[in-house]
Amino acid sequence: MGYRIKTVSELTGIPKNTLVAWERRYGILNPERLDNGYRRYTDADVAVLQQLKSAMADGLRISEAVELVRQGRQPHNPPERSRARVAESDLDAFAPARHELLDCLSRFARSEAERVVGRLVGLPYERIIDLVYYPLLKEVGDRWEAGEMSVAQEHFVSAFVRDQLSAMLLQVGSGPKDGLHVVCTTFPGEQHELGVLGLAVSLALRGCRVTYLGADLPASELCRFGRRYRPAAICCSVLIPLEQATLSAYVEELRGGLDAQTRIILGGTGVAGLRCEEEGVELLQDWRALDLP
């Protein structure tokens, strides 16, 4: 898949002039030049840029990061650092944008809401997800439970955020073709997909090749897909509280129907207090603890 430099800048959070400077100074990328003079970047180019950002986040200078990537070594970037808990100061910085967005959506003013989102262009997708959309959804949920928002308003906000996350996933092209293949879905009966949709975007940006299968996927269908395409991992979102027996039966069906090397990862508040001793199965209450790739 080919990307213009503006799109690559949006995907990686690296300014366009910085991309050009790195290309000229270090020769780390050599994007194709189209007849009109525009640069066209590949999935592999985006993956390299993500590696550079990861290495620099660990404290390396750009020259050191370039050398690390050229040697084919992966930057040391543990998951707790790459997806660290959001700082209160960061949340406060984005509070005005969230409040304005919520006001627009509460009035069903989609065009106004899109203009608010337009001001976020150029920020890394993960920051927009963590600092705008996820906190926005939490506030909407809290207000709905308190009777301060109608069902129609809650549905409208959720649909708007789903559109934005879907557009992000479309922009990143589900990640590089040679990336670690990861499937994202939700537990059978689980209709809340926005968390795992955001996870799919994050994994694609981190270099995984993501297949997003949507919400409420039966275990039998997940096994059928897994046997044919043999993904490295399956990430299943669980927000509804589960009984231990329900979880055990689901895991047993998946483990028996999938390749033994496929990791099965169930994450979300629904697995709180549950346990699983099946080999190759992991339970996470917070996706930020996910160790992929």
Side-chain angles (χ1 to χ4, degrees), residues 250-282:
Y250 179 75
V251 167
E252 182 179 357
E253 183 173 357
L254 290 189
R255 192 70 288 169
L258 294 171
D259 189 273
Q261 279 68 50
T262 300
R263 291 173 61 184
I264 301 171
I265 307 162
L266 294 93
T269 55
V271 301
L274 302 181
R275 65 187 186 281
C276 182
E277 299 177 357
E278 286 277 355
E279 186 175 353
V281 179
E282 305 161 47

Side-chain angles (χ1 to χ4, degrees), residues 89-102:
S89 58
D90 289 336
L91 283 172
D92 291 343
F94 282 83
R98 289 197 307 273
H99 294 160
E100 186 177 356
L101 188 57
L102 180 57

Side-chain angles (χ1 to χ4, degrees), residues 48-270:
V48 166
L49 291 169
Q50 290 294 339
Q51 287 181 320
L52 291 175
K53 280 194 64 177
S54 181
M56 293 174 69
D58 277 347
L60 296 184
R61 295 189 297 271
I62 178 58
S63 59
E64 296 171 326
V66 167
E67 185 60 27
L68 189 75
V69 172
R70 279 180 174 154
Q71 293 174 3
R73 292 155 51 198
Q74 292 293 322
H76 174 66
N77 190 17
E80 63 269 21
R81 178 151 189 183
S82 62
R83 289 287 292 199
R85 291 187 178 278
V86 177
E88 289 296 329
S89 58
D90 289 336
L91 283 172
D92 291 343
F94 282 83
R98 289 197 307 273
H99 294 160
E100 186 177 356
L101 188 57
L102 180 57
D103 174 67
C104 296
L105 294 173
S106 297
R107 294 184 286 105
F108 305 100
R110 185 181 180 94
S111 60
E112 294 180 31
E114 289 175 345
R115 284 195 288 272
V116 176
V117 171
R119 299 203 300 267
L120 303 175
V121 170
L123 293 173
Y125 280 173
E126 284 189 306
R127 286 184 65 79
I128 298 175
I129 293 171
D130 285 340
L131 299 176
V132 179
Y133 293 140
Y134 282 172
L136 174 69
L137 291 170
K138 183 180 185 307
E139 183 173 355
V140 168
D142 291 343
R143 290 193 180 191
W144 177 80
E145 288 187 359
E148 299 173 2
M149 292 192 74
S150 68
V151 174
Q153 288 174 313
E154 188 273 335
H155 282 196
F156 188 78
V157 175
S158 296
F160 181 86
V161 173
R162 183 183 298 107
D163 288 346
Q164 305 310 309
L165 296 177
S166 297
M168 288 180 176
L169 189 58
L170 183 63
Q171 281 284 351
V172 300
S174 297
K177 294 180 180 179
D178 58 350
L180 189 75
H181 188 194
V182 181
V183 171
C184 291
T185 186
T186 75
F187 196 84
E190 176 67 73
Q191 299 293 336
H192 297 88
E193 63 174 319
L194 299 185
V196 76
L197 184 53
L199 174 67
V201 174
S202 174
L203 290 174
L205 288 170
R206 288 158 60 179
C208 292
R209 175 167 58 91
V210 178
T211 299
Y212 181 67
L213 296 180
D216 191 16
L217 187 68
S220 58
E221 289 300 314
L222 188 53
C223 288
R224 179 182 297 180
F225 178 93
R227 285 192 298 270
R228 179 171 181 179
Y229 296 101
R230 299 185 179 279
I234 291 173
C235 294
C236 179
S237 177
V238 188
L239 298 182
I240 53 176
L242 295 182
E243 297 290 338
Q244 181 65 53
T246 303
L247 173 70
S248 298
Y250 179 75
V251 167
E252 182 179 357
E253 183 173 357
L254 290 189
R255 192 70 288 169
L258 294 171
D259 189 273
Q261 279 68 50
T262 300
R263 291 173 61 184
I264 301 171
I265 307 162
L266 294 93
T269 55

Side-chain angles (χ1 to χ4, degrees), residues 26-40:
Y26 302 105
I28 189 64
L29 298 178
N30 186 28
E32 178 187 1
R33 286 299 189 104
L34 303 178
D35 292 339
N36 57 12
Y38 291 153
R39 291 170 170 82
R40 181 165 66 183

